[in-house]
Amino acid sequence: HLEEVDVAHVLSEIEMADAKQIAKCVKEGGKKGVELAGCADLGGLEFFTTQMQEPKGDVDLLQMCMDAANKEVDPAEEESKGGSGEVGKMLLSAGDAGLALINYVPASKADKVNAEEWMAATLKEVGGGEVRKSSPTTCVAYVAEDKATGRFVLKDKDTCQAQSVQFLKAKGLFPQADEEEDDWVPDEDADIEW
């Protein structure tokens, strides 16, 4: 005979698991926001493309990462989180079933990049995807894995990341490597040990 299932207990456990996953995504997004803001401050970069692990391909969880990355830094918090609201970014997250993508262009940089064009260029090489939200400042898309047609999440993730960077480079918004800088050799009196 079947034992009775405590539905409330099962739902409670599912909600707790969801709450833990949401907390992980918010934490990852907040940390990424601090990193991106720091890189922008130090290197002058205005746009980034980066991967997020915790959402595991879930569009809603990836949106939580973006929101956490963009939130104002609370000076009262022990650990800084967020702060990259003035940095344009494309976040990608791969999961078992597909690839979630979200981009964000601050209003102050809308004259440099249109989020819809950025997303279209990013998705072009993988044959497109389902655009779930679209505006000049933010787009949300999903690319489902389909092994039968040769569409694999990990391959699409790498392709989309490369296409996003290529789009930014074409707009002059991503630094090009300067070969002369790579060959820098310090003077003997620069106090650098090898």
Side-chain angles (χ1 to χ4, degrees):
H1 74 18
L2 296 173
E3 293 181 31
E4 286 188 33
V5 175
D6 181 353
V7 174
H9 178 72
V10 170
L11 286 176
S12 171
E13 285 189 14
I14 291 171
E15 289 170 359
M16 281 181 49
D18 288 348
K20 285 180 183 177
Q21 191 59 35
I22 288 169
K24 287 180 180 179
C25 291
V26 169
K27 182 177 181 177
E28 183 182 24
K31 284 184 167 187
K32 188 63 71 175
V34 169
E35 288 175 21
L36 295 179
C39 288
D41 289 345
L42 290 175
L45 290 173
E46 300 176 276
F47 293 89
F48 288 87
T49 298
T50 190
Q51 298 178 26
M52 306 300 286
Q53 303 303 313
E54 291 300 334
K56 297 177 177 42
D58 184 285
V59 171
D60 295 328
L61 292 175
L62 189 58
Q63 181 66 61
M64 290 178 190
C65 286
M66 181 68 80
D67 294 343
N70 287 341
K71 86 172 187 93
E72 296 270 332
V73 174
D74 182 352
E77 285 185 3
E78 187 175 314
E79 183 180 354
S80 292
K81 295 179 196 105
S84 68
E86 284 302 309
V87 177
K89 61 191 82 59
M90 171 81 72
L91 302 181
L92 302 94
S93 179
D96 292 337
L99 174 68
L101 303 94
I102 296 178
N103 67 9
Y104 165 78
V105 177
S108 63
K109 295 179 177 35
D111 61 327
K112 297 180 180 183
V113 174
N114 176 290
E116 293 166 314
E117 291 173 8
W118 188 5
M119 185 63 76
T122 300
L123 294 172
K124 185 178 178 185
E125 286 297 313
V126 296
E130 176 191 352
V131 177
R132 296 186 178 176
K133 179 181 171 185
S134 180
S135 79
T137 58
T138 189
C139 285
V140 178
Y142 185 77
V143 179
E145 180 163 277
D146 186 358
K147 293 178 182 170
T149 61
R151 189 169 221 172
F152 297 96
V153 173
L154 295 178
K155 180 181 172 195
D156 286 351
K157 176 188 64 160
D158 293 342
T159 300
C160 285
Q161 184 165 6
Q163 286 303 118
S164 176
V165 169
Q166 192 59 39
F167 175 83
L168 294 173
K169 282 182 177 179
K171 294 250 180 210
L173 299 170
F174 203 87
Q176 303 285 340
D178 184 355
E179 291 183 29
E180 288 182 25
E181 288 182 23
D182 292 341
D183 297 332
W184 177 79
V185 178
D187 293 334
E188 287 181 27
D189 59 352
D191 292 330
I192 296 176
E193 292 184 30
W194 298 97

